[in-house]
Amino acid sequence: MPLRHRLLAALVAALWGVNFLAIHASLEQFPPFLLVAMRWTLIAIPTLLLVPRPEVPLRYLLGYGLGFGVLQFTFLYWAMDSGMPTGLASLVLQSSAPFTVLLGVLVTREKLTGARAFGVAVAVVGLAIVGSQRAGGATWWPFVLTLLGGMGWALGNIASRQAKPPKPLHLTLWMSVVPPIPMLALSLAVEGPDRIVDAFATSGDAWGAWVGLAYTVVLGTVVGSGIWTWLMARHPASTVAPFSMLVPVVGISAAWLALGERPNAVELAGSVVVVAGVLLTSGTRRRISGGRRRGRGRAVSAATPPPRQPASAGHPAVRPS
């Protein structure tokens, strides 16, 4: 992977990590379910007008949209609105990696290797360490909501993997067509018309919320996902995917600097364990072919590199934040 491509991958991780601050700013003005509807509507409209529909079965497009777009962000935004610290949210959402592996075993009958099983166990231990600091009082509920967001992302991963789109970016963009109507209906039912009207009526001076929403749509989703898809199309998933582990590092650091959120020592230790587990879970094993191949008078072992995968295959396909 050339240095320029590594820098691009690091840039995407930085964009996605800072995006949790943008979400926090938007939630200061807009209720969470309405904000999810707004986020995807702003992408869905130009997508319907300009982007051809991906050549995938409708059920997988709907599954991707419902899992990745509706469930993930409903629970994530709800969690952050309920008090989940911004930096820790960027970390706990990485639970989608072990969830994806487990769902792959249960739904698509994928083989669970010993290394990945160990990675899942390590990630779960790390999440338990972080969760132990949220067990008292009302702090446990936002933590559980964020875990459910990770589960939604994992469901979206399974649907996108099954879709096998010839143009992954088209699937990513068309996924945005699914969430707006159900999220607007949920916002009307739960948050109510009065709260929605009041959010818009008082948004004239809430420039930070609008800047945060613009960042999420343009930089966090379109630019970040576009670069990530481009990289995933040119390099093995096992080469690109580990860069997503920079997201919680950036997210926690940005929240520390901008919002004064300081995770305690136990939470930091749990964070390190989660990152290690996700790296083990997301790793791709290289298979060594049996026997030896001879070349130029000496024997050399033959290693089969992992195949290149589209952005929608495996984890992480597109970072949500």
Side-chain angles (χ1 to χ4, degrees):
M1 192 173 181
L3 176 60
R4 182 169 66 92
H5 292 188
R6 294 178 183 272
L7 292 175
L8 284 174
L11 172 63
V12 174
L15 290 175
W16 284 340
V18 173
N19 194 43
F20 283 87
L21 287 180
I23 295 171
H24 172 85
S26 297
L27 286 170
E28 293 290 300
Q29 177 63 30
F30 299 105
F33 303 151
L34 174 65
L35 186 59
V36 177
M38 293 169 61
R39 168 185 181 152
W40 293 120
T41 299
L42 291 174
I43 301 175
I45 292 174
T47 294
L48 285 169
L49 295 175
L50 302 174
V51 180
R53 184 185 179 282
E55 299 176 1
V56 300
L58 180 60
R59 64 183 181 277
Y60 296 134
L61 174 59
L62 293 175
Y64 187 26
L66 290 173
F68 185 88
V70 174
L71 294 178
Q72 175 184 192
F73 290 102
T74 295
F75 289 122
L76 174 64
Y77 282 34
W78 187 4
M80 294 179 66
D81 187 63
S82 300
M84 184 67 180
T86 303
L88 284 181
S90 68
L91 169 76
V92 176
L93 202 64
Q94 295 296 326
S95 61
S96 59
F99 280 143
T100 299
V101 172
L102 294 176
L103 285 174
V105 173
L106 296 174
V107 177
T108 61
R109 307 300 181 187
E110 294 181 2
K111 183 179 179 181
L112 181 61
T113 65
R116 288 196 170 185
F118 179 69
V120 169
V122 170
V124 169
V125 169
L127 289 170
I129 294 173
V130 175
S132 69
Q133 304 301 293
R134 307 267 131 198
T139 58
W140 66 273
W141 179 239
F143 177 79
V144 172
L145 288 174
T146 310
L147 284 178
L148 291 174
M151 174 65 80
W153 182 8
L155 290 169
N157 279 343
I158 296 299
S160 65
R161 179 183 297 171
Q162 293 293 98
K164 297 180 175 63
K167 296 182 178 180
L169 185 57
H170 285 193
L171 177 64
T172 300
L173 292 174
W174 265 83
M175 176 276 301
S176 68
V177 176
V178 178
I181 293 178
M183 289 310 306
L184 181 58
L186 183 63
S187 177
L188 286 169
V190 176
E191 296 161 344
D194 292 342
R195 189 177 178 190
I196 293 173
V197 171
D198 183 65
F200 283 107
T202 60
S203 66
D205 297 327
W207 61 270
W210 288 107
V211 170
L213 180 59
Y215 183 103
T216 296
V217 170
V218 178
L219 296 179
T221 304
V222 177
V223 175
S225 298
I227 295 175
W228 192 261
T229 301
W230 185 84
L231 290 171
M232 292 286 277
R234 287 161 175 77
H235 301 284
S238 58
T239 300
V240 181
F243 280 90
S244 70
M245 286 293 89
L246 294 174
V247 174
V249 175
V250 174
I252 291 174
S253 300
W256 193 328
L257 293 173
L259 303 176
E261 293 181 359
R262 288 174 169 79
N264 61 41
V266 176
E267 288 174 332
L268 287 175
S271 301
V272 172
V273 176
V274 171
V275 169
V278 172
L279 284 174
L280 289 169
T281 300
S282 303
T284 302
R285 294 179 61 189
R286 290 176 178 266
R287 295 180 302 168
I288 307 299
S289 62
R292 293 175 176 267
R293 289 187 301 184
R294 296 186 176 274
R296 297 176 182 250
R298 63 186 180 89
V300 294
S301 61
T304 303
R308 293 187 180 183
Q309 302 177 23
S312 61
H315 172 86
V318 178
R319 189 72 180 84
S321 55

